[in-house]
Amino acid sequence: MTNHWVDIKNADLVLIMGGNAAEAHPCGFKWVTEAKAHNKARLIVVDPRFNRSASVADVYAPIRAGTDIAFLGAVINYLLTNDKIQRDYVTHYTDASFIVKEEFAFQDGLYSGYDADNRRYDKSSWDYEFGDDGFARVDPTLAHPRCVLNLMKQHYSRYTPEMVERVCGTPQQKFQQICEMIASTATPTRAMTIMYALGWTQHSIGSQMIRCGAMVQLLLGNIGVSGGGMNALRGHSNIQGLTDLGLLSNTLTGYITLPHDREQDYEKYVAVRAFKPLRPNQVSYWQHFSKFFVSLQKAWWGDAATAGNRWAYDYLPKIDKLYDMLQVFDLMEQGKINGYLAQGFNPLAAAPNKAKMTAALSNLKFLVIMDPLVTETSEFWRNYGVHHDVDSSKIQTEVIRLPVTCFAEEDGTLVNSGRWLQWHWKGGEPPGEARTDIEIMAELFNRLRKLYQTEGGAFPDPILNLSWPYIRPNSPTPEELAKEYSGRALTDLVDPKNPNNVVRKRDEQLAGFGELRDDGSTASGCWIFCGAWGPTGNLMARRDNSDPTGIGQTLNWAWSWPANRRVLYNRASCDLDGKPFNPERPLIRWNGKQWVGADIPDFRIDDDPAAGVGPFIMNQEGVARLFARTNMAEGPFPEHYEPFESPLGYNPLSRNEPRAVSNPAARIFKADREALGNVAQFPHVATTYRLTEHFHYWTKHVRLNAITQPEQFVEIGAALADELGIAAGDRVRVSSNRGHIEAVAVVTKRIRALNIDGKTVHTVGIPIHWGFTGLARPGYLANTLTPFVGDANSQTPEFKAFLVKVEKVADASPASGQKS
Amino acid sequence: MSDMTRRQFLAITGSGLAGSSLALLGFSPGPALAEVREFKLSRATETRNTCPYCSVSCGLLMYSLGDKSKNATASIFHIEGDPDHPVNRGTLCPKGAALIDFIHSPSRLTHPEYRASGSDRWQRISWDEALERVARLMKQDRDANFIAKNAEGLTVNRWLTTGMLAASASSNEAGYITHKVIRSLGVLAFDNQARV
Ligand code: SF4
């Protein structure tokens, strides 16, 4: 979230699209209700299902799964052609005025530079034009035909209301009504918030859907203001935190990217990440990259990281390509991965194409499970009848399963959607011999280190030299670790302007990332968390819920990254002179000497507005990018592409370009392409979702939840049920080209048939929560059905739009499916 | 707020509540206090925690018996929403409201187990055996497959044949040390549950 949960109450308009907060994030949805009740807010829900968020909406519009860019692109078209944009904001706070290179082009669904053989782009033309002074060229009058705003106008002129109806199945009148409501927030005093979740991310064009939403918000001046923002409702309690901490193939902590093979030279590695300003006077905060990086290396390798060895640069693995989950399971299926550790994660259930996942896990030499619960993954080798039919004797994988504590049995922090790090406390003992993840990782490491000490082995240096200053080496405390990722001074730090002034004593905790240095005198394991445990103690444990301004800014409750700031880009809530656009809900303002207000300013505290520094201080431009330059895989502007399994088989926006049917830059492995189904065999569009009574694959182990939603079902519209002769409560078989599930049919008016380009398309809803372990009735893993293809940028699998066929099961014996 | 609930009364009079600005003292608690369950709650230890499911991250109050003294095992018997928490203000959804059954689920794992190649069953093992085996398997694989230099002779120091998926609900502290350990080994096949 750019904003946070409580801030939703400040919205004048709420758009929920690509999510269903009322059911998936119920206690957060409360703030939508609050906005409606006390801020006269209106709620729009756009979703393939009339879900519970929709049931309390002022306007609901149906949409075909996977066509959100067609919808949002047409919203952009509406705003631009009707001049419903916040002009000052767009002119000064976005790159609307930047001039794009002449070579940049778009035709028939493809951008300039497409390399069809490798399914990627040469992006050299996707950039601004630069002047002799090295800065990007701009035209503040917005008249230049190649300025970003005019290119956008041109790009989205194809996205008409008529096209929305044809591609999305949304009636034009509904669409028009929604556009008018959204446009009402182009005034400086009205704000719309956008709330989305996996309904946007789990598409082969998911990142661009989100980007398209952000572009709408920028045109309206809704980013950086209270009641506005792009608000991702994260699906798991600490997925924000683990991503912030960089637990991904290609990142280190705090969004630092790992070096590539060709980056052998440390200086160059730093130089390309220390982004220089593209316009005069801009902050471009990533210029400080070397301070973040060196402080991380000092936290990890201590005295072994020196200027002489380029801060242990060679200790880091260099990356040749992305080893995301999909790539790794594909390699595993090919027998190229030997060992795997699954910590609190159930990939057999959570990753696409269960048959492929079972084959992959069966090819491992060893699998290590760390979990509080009996996951399907940990029992993938065991026969569970129709729900998981394998022959144990043929599976050679050695499995070691380790019992882990749960939340209630440990201290520590999680990061919520609004970026708050909140400390929690242990309240009970774990069952049996269960241990914490920390203890398991620590003891495993110490055993490995001992083996390397006594026996030697491949490149032992980073293992032998890893900094391990914990009082009990096999059981570091959460406090020790929190202090380490926050950061401390390694020597007395003196003020560079006055060497007699010691600003931090040696070993003192640092107050924030502004204190980090790149000479080895500071250590911070995660620069964006720096200051969470500051010189005054653990700020994440603070519990003062006072909200002095009444707009939900509880700055003394827990701690928020970065720098305890609650609304990102909040400088953009003020005009060029530093006066709040909306005097009713000011976040910050310029008082003549400095920035003050209800939030921590996202700006240098004493930067006079007259200096013309842009509000988006992390960007080289100083302003927000409507034009993504080379940052996205499939193009600088979001373009609609069909899901990899499309009910049309063509892209209505570029009818004659077969290479642009689905995302031209998405990676898909050969066997997975062959496993795609077509509309002739699988005529129905499926979309997966969560129920309010269940959480992922965990709560089927929880008695109360297993009672409230005991049995697997699928949701089908009344029209499709009629067509197939299915009554509510019948058992149905849902198949894709990768497998089938059987479940009870819930026949509903919540899903309506859509008319797409002259043909009727039915949607099938597939709740995900059942499996073959747990207390609920055994069911099929929903990912038996899903395709093994991901978003071109994030590799998030396409779970929200794929093709299936629904049939009534003739002989519905209730015993079938039970474990024998 | 004249109707003070049992929970609010306990929250402000009981232990463990520092720094809240909800100044409710001065009101007398309602008759609910006389109930039997109240008595049990009032001698329980109250601990603050966070719901481990979705990232609304509702604040929780957990009540346990056993006084945290040495040799006494604290067992949680009741969980409810934290009324002081600025986001959930005491509410919990059907998932959070059932958390007590997650803690005490019969599916909780209680000891390390081992499944041998081709076997159809688990066998119980000790932590010592389990961790020694994992360390040995990892070292064997790393030593056999570690890539110090790529085909062009560039230093790459990576280990591609063992991978890890990290938890979605583990704490930052667990995530941080997991990353530190895994990256020191040179692992690149490393991912978390952000996408699914
Ligand atoms: S109680 Fe419900 S809404 Fe609150 S964090 Fe837990 S799952 Fe999310």
Side-chain angles (χ1 to χ4, degrees):
Chain A
M1 287 171 117
T2 55
N3 297 39
H4 59 91
W5 288 107
V6 181
D7 179 68
I8 294 168
K9 74 172 183 164
N10 297 315
D12 299 292
L13 183 66
V14 179
L15 172 63
I16 300 184
M17 190 166 171
N20 173 16
E23 290 176 83
H25 298 87
C27 300
F29 184 78
K30 182 162 48 70
W31 294 102
V32 177
T33 312
E34 183 81 13
K36 277 169 68 85
H38 299 296
N39 203 36
K40 299 200 190 88
R42 302 230 280 154
L43 169 63
I44 302 170
V45 172
V46 182
D47 199 276
R49 290 189 310 135
F50 183 83
N51 56 35
R52 282 180 173 132
S53 303
S55 73
V56 291
D58 297 284
V59 179
Y60 162 73
I63 185 171
R64 173 166 65 99
T67 63
D68 302 58
I69 291 176
F71 190 101
L72 294 166
V75 172
I76 291 176
N77 188 17
Y78 176 93
L79 298 176
L80 292 175
T81 46
N82 294 290
D83 197 22
K84 294 286 187 187
I85 63 175
Q86 192 177 324
R87 189 152 282 272
D88 281 350
Y89 187 106
V90 172
T91 311
H92 302 295
Y93 296 167
T94 77
D95 65 353
S97 63
F98 285 51
I99 296 165
V100 173
K101 281 186 175 175
E102 200 161 359
E103 304 81 63
F104 170 72
F106 174 83
Q107 206 189 349
D108 294 333
L110 295 171
Y111 287 93
S112 39
Y114 189 54
D115 168 1
D117 293 341
N118 295 304
R119 297 183 61 76
R120 46 187 170 77
Y121 280 98
D122 167 359
K123 302 178 181 173
S124 50
S125 62
W126 304 1
D127 208 347
Y128 309 128
E129 227 173 63
F130 291 93
D132 297 336
D133 55 2
F135 289 123
R137 293 185 54 219
V138 300
D139 175 12
T141 67
L142 302 178
H144 195 288
R146 275 185 290 106
C147 78
V148 167
L149 195 76
N150 290 331
L151 289 179
M152 246 175 103
K153 251 185 208 156
Q154 192 187 328
H155 189 89
Y156 292 106
S157 62
R158 304 173 298 135
Y159 288 66
T160 60
E162 178 278 328
M163 194 278 298
V164 169
E165 183 163 301
R166 202 151 56 82
V167 177
C168 311
T170 312
Q172 285 191 51
Q173 208 190 348
K174 264 277 139 73
F175 175 73
Q176 187 74 20
Q177 185 189 4
I178 290 172
C179 284
E180 284 162 18
M181 290 169 79
I182 290 177
S184 77
T185 67
T187 62
T189 52
R190 280 176 61 79
M192 168 173 77
T193 179
I194 295 186
M195 299 165 69
Y196 67 93
L198 300 185
W200 269 1
T201 60
Q202 291 181 334
H203 292 281
S204 51
I205 48 171
S207 303
Q208 293 279 27
M209 287 180 188
I210 297 163
R211 202 177 155 72
C212 209
M215 288 161 69
V216 168
Q217 288 292 61
L218 287 169
L219 291 176
L220 297 163
N222 284 339
I223 297 283
V225 304
S226 67
M230 280 300 287
N231 294 310
L233 316 181
R234 300 298 223 134
H236 300 264
S237 62
N238 204 32
I239 257 334
Q240 183 67 53
L242 287 210
T243 308
D244 299 337
L245 288 164
L247 284 84
L248 294 165
S249 166
N250 62 332
T251 59
L252 293 166
T253 60
Y255 302 92
I256 294 174
T257 49
L258 270 177
H260 194 273
D261 282 10
R262 60 182 175 271
E263 295 182 299
Q264 296 283 306
D265 182 340
Y266 169 68
E267 309 296 333
K268 285 192 190 143
Y269 164 76
V270 170
V272 298
R273 285 159 181 79
F275 299 119
K276 295 279 173 281
L278 294 183
R279 294 289 303 156
N281 290 333
Q282 300 310 313
V283 173
S284 194
Y285 202 79
W286 280 105
Q287 286 189 89
H288 301 284
F289 176 83
S290 58
K291 300 173 185 171
F292 317 149
F293 179 78
V294 173
S295 299
L296 165 63
Q297 296 293 90
K298 292 301 287 182
W300 282 7
W301 283 293
D303 292 342
T306 63
N309 68 2
R310 304 175 300 165
W311 311 109
Y313 185 60
D314 287 348
Y315 286 9
L316 292 173
K318 307 291 175 290
I319 192 158
D320 58 336
K321 64 175 179 186
L322 202 61
Y323 293 91
D324 59 285
M325 192 172 83
L326 297 183
Q327 172 67 79
V328 170
F329 290 129
D330 188 68
L331 290 170
M332 200 184 286
E333 196 198 14
Q334 297 173 39
K336 292 181 179 157
I337 303 276
N338 300 320
Y340 210 66
L341 291 79
Q343 177 197 59
F345 194 159
N346 187 4
L348 182 66
N353 193 353
K354 175 181 168 255
K356 176 165 175 151
M357 289 300 300
T358 307
L361 293 167
S362 304
N363 273 343
L364 283 172
K365 290 206 177 70
F366 67 95
L367 173 66
V368 182
I369 302 285
M370 306 171 204
D371 212 282
L373 297 167
V374 178
T375 61
E376 277 82 3
T377 305
S378 73
E379 308 240 324
F380 82 93
W381 45 271
R382 187 178 258 184
N383 190 295
Y384 279 89
V386 293
H387 297 118
H388 188 63
D389 196 5
V390 294
D391 179 351
S392 301
S393 70
K394 298 223 165 72
I395 296 175
Q396 302 309 316
T397 313
E398 208 177 314
V399 187
I400 295 124
R401 184 161 75 177
L402 307 173
V404 177
T405 52
C406 76
F407 71 101
E409 297 144 7
E410 60 198 25
D411 291 353
T413 53
L414 307 173
V415 187
N416 77 359
S417 266
R419 297 166 287 100
W420 300 3
L421 286 75
Q422 306 184 91
W423 196 268
H424 62 261
W425 287 268
K426 172 176 173 171
E429 293 301 326
E433 299 174 4
R435 292 187 183 175
T436 65
D437 287 312
I438 295 175
E439 289 168 323
I440 295 171
M441 292 309 296
E443 188 168 338
L444 182 59
F445 173 74
N446 286 321
R447 283 175 188 256
L448 271 165
R449 168 134 83 183
K450 193 145 176 241
L451 290 176
Y452 276 94
Q453 272 160 352
T454 52
E455 301 171 0
F459 195 43
D461 310 41
I463 302 170
L464 299 180
N465 290 328
L466 195 68
S467 167
W468 207 262
Y470 316 113
I471 290 174
R472 290 162 59 211
N474 280 343
S475 184
T477 63
E479 288 83 357
E480 284 173 315
L481 295 167
K483 284 183 182 169
E484 181 175 320
Y485 65 61
S486 184
R488 68 190 166 101
L490 298 176
T491 59
D492 284 357
L493 301 182
V494 296
D495 182 347
K497 289 179 203 129
N498 175 7
N500 294 324
N501 182 13
V502 174
V503 287
R504 286 285 162 228
K505 282 226 162 339
R506 180 195 163 127
D507 281 336
E508 196 180 356
Q509 290 293 116
L510 302 173
F513 46 71
E515 298 182 1
L516 296 176
R517 304 198 176 179
D518 60 6
D519 59 0
S521 60
T522 57
S524 165
C526 181
W527 74 275
I528 58 174
F529 290 174
C530 189
W533 195 306
T536 57
N538 181 1
L539 303 188
M540 303 171 282
R542 294 181 301 173
R543 297 190 43 84
D544 176 357
N545 60 11
S546 57
D547 170 19
T549 58
I551 60 168
Q553 294 285 100
T554 50
L555 295 186
N556 293 316
W557 179 275
W559 185 85
S560 173
W561 76 260
N564 200 32
R565 185 171 298 132
R566 307 292 161 130
V567 176
L568 295 178
Y569 319 118
N570 57 31
R571 166 63 183 91
S573 68
C574 295
D575 64 15
L576 285 178
D577 300 326
K579 277 206 281 304
F581 281 124
N582 184 350
E584 301 283 306
R585 298 189 293 256
L587 281 169
I588 59 165
R589 66 188 168 82
W590 174 251
N591 72 1
K593 287 199 185 72
Q594 56 178 11
W595 292 89
V596 294
D599 200 0
I600 311 295
D602 196 351
F603 213 55
R604 279 187 303 234
I605 196 93
D606 54 358
D607 252 356
D608 193 314
V613 180
F616 289 83
I617 60 172
M618 297 309 290
N619 285 355
Q620 293 172 277
E621 295 87 340
V623 294
R625 283 188 290 265
L626 294 164
F627 183 79
R629 301 177 68 207
T630 58
N631 291 302
M632 303 294 282
E634 59 283 88
F637 293 130
E639 169 70 6
H640 169 74
Y641 299 105
E642 287 287 306
F644 269 76
E645 289 188 335
S646 158
L648 296 178
Y650 57 87
N651 185 344
L653 274 129
S654 30
R655 192 76 170 81
N656 301 316
E657 178 48 88
R659 297 176 301 174
V661 177
S662 298
N663 189 337
R667 178 195 70 198
I668 181 161
F669 303 116
K670 189 161 168 285
D672 300 315
R673 185 179 278 286
E674 284 158 9
L676 294 176
N678 62 47
V679 68
Q681 295 164 285
F682 302 98
H684 311 126
V685 173
T687 192
T688 64
Y689 65 90
R690 283 182 182 175
L691 302 173
T692 202
E693 295 85 357
H694 273 303
F695 181 78
H696 233 239
Y697 307 99
W698 302 16
T699 51
K700 60 184 161 66
H701 298 282
V702 177
R703 190 171 310 278
L704 203 56
N705 303 95
I707 290 168
T708 49
Q709 283 289 6
E711 177 159 13
Q712 184 165 28
F713 67 87
V714 296
E715 188 173 349
I716 56 177
L720 179 60
D722 276 355
E723 197 181 302
L724 300 175
I726 294 166
D730 283 351
R731 276 190 82 76
V732 291
R733 168 189 283 244
V734 181
S735 19
S736 77
N737 207 26
R738 293 158 294 274
H740 74 271
I741 65 171
E742 281 183 24
V744 172
V746 166
V747 177
T748 169
K749 292 192 174 127
R750 293 187 295 230
I751 299 180
R752 59 179 83 167
L754 299 172
N755 183 331
I756 307 296
D757 212 4
K759 108 185 209 194
T760 303
V761 171
H762 296 286
T763 304
V764 180
I766 305 189
I768 62 169
H769 305 291
W770 288 271
F772 54 82
T773 64
L775 300 173
R777 282 183 209 141
Y780 292 80
L781 293 171
N783 279 318
T784 304
L785 301 172
T786 50
F788 204 89
V789 60
D791 173 78
N793 302 279
S794 68
Q795 304 303 338
T796 304
E798 188 151 65
F799 290 161
K800 296 301 186 219
F802 54 97
L803 294 179
V804 296
K805 176 181 184 181
V806 181
E807 298 159 284
K808 186 169 167 172
V809 177
D811 174 28
S813 142
S816 77
Q818 300 292 330
K819 190 185 157 194
S820 52
Chain B
M1 212 185 269
S2 59
D3 264 344
M4 178 181 274
T5 65
R6 154 195 62 78
R7 183 179 59 208
Q8 287 159 338
F9 180 73
L10 287 171
I12 54 177
T13 56
S15 59
L17 187 87
S20 165
S21 65
L22 274 189
L24 289 167
L25 280 169
F27 295 97
S28 58
L33 271 179
E35 288 171 19
V36 174
R37 198 164 77 85
E38 311 311 325
F39 182 59
K40 192 173 171 189
L41 274 188
S42 65
R43 64 189 166 85
T45 304
E46 181 187 270
T47 312
R48 302 198 182 260
N49 209 298
T50 308
C51 176
Y53 295 139
C54 88
S55 74
V56 177
S57 299
C58 293
L60 305 174
L61 297 177
M62 307 192 301
Y63 294 92
S64 55
L65 288 178
D67 58 2
K68 289 189 173 169
S69 61
K70 239 190 152 100
N71 304 325
T73 311
S75 177
I76 300 164
F77 66 90
H78 178 66
I79 293 182
E80 61 189 30
D82 178 352
D84 294 336
H85 196 283
V87 176
N88 65 309
R89 296 207 175 162
T91 61
L92 293 176
C93 83
K95 296 173 278 275
L99 275 169
I100 189 72
D101 284 349
F102 169 36
I103 297 175
H104 302 301
S105 168
S107 299
R108 286 294 301 269
L109 298 170
T110 55
H111 50 260
E113 288 157 296
Y114 182 78
R115 182 262 176 185
S117 276
S119 166
D120 63 357
R121 69 203 60 216
W122 290 111
Q123 83 200 58
R124 182 171 179 165
I125 56 173
S126 70
W127 273 105
D128 186 52
E129 290 167 309
L131 291 174
E132 199 50 37
R133 183 74 190 144
V134 177
R136 179 52 72 192
L137 287 166
M138 285 175 75
K139 180 161 191 295
Q140 268 168 7
D141 188 57
R142 186 176 182 276
D143 286 349
N145 298 301
F146 190 82
I147 305 171
K149 290 196 187 296
N150 71 5
E152 295 149 54
L154 302 172
T155 301
V156 296
N157 287 335
R158 59 178 168 241
W159 175 25
L160 297 178
T161 48
T162 286
M164 180 169 191
L165 278 174
S168 57
S170 68
S171 66
N172 289 322
E173 295 68 32
Y176 175 72
I177 198 164
T178 299
H179 193 172
K180 184 174 173 179
V181 166
I182 286 296
R183 210 63 93 177
S184 78
L185 302 172
V187 172
L188 288 179
F190 188 37
D191 210 334
N192 72 48
Q193 203 161 358
R195 306 175 171 100
V196 290

